[in-house]
Amino acid sequence: MTLLASTVVFTVDDLASSRHFFTTHLGFREVLDTPDFTWLSRDDAAADPPGGHPGGG
């Protein structure tokens, strides 16, 4: 079996601070940003988060 991709979802209390941490310290960039959901990515990883998923806060 070859794993081609994976997605990690984080549900956090402070979306703005979490997004700032991931983009400032871990090298992620914003792909999509809404008031309740953020999609972050970088060349070797992706995070669906911080913030979790729509409706999950």
Side-chain angles (χ1 to χ4, degrees):
M1 175 174 74
T2 301
L3 183 62
L4 300 176
S6 64
T7 300
V8 178
V9 177
F10 297 98
T11 301
V12 299
D13 292 327
D14 188 341
L15 181 59
S17 293
S18 297
R19 179 177 46 246
H20 177 76
F21 178 82
F22 271 72
T23 57
T24 302
H25 300 288
L26 301 179
F28 284 83
R29 67 185 177 284
E30 289 183 20
V31 175
L32 174 67
D33 184 32
T34 72
D36 298 318
F37 175 79
T38 297
W39 181 275
L40 303 174
S41 185
R42 69 179 198 195
D43 293 338
D44 63 344
D48 175 13
H53 50 85

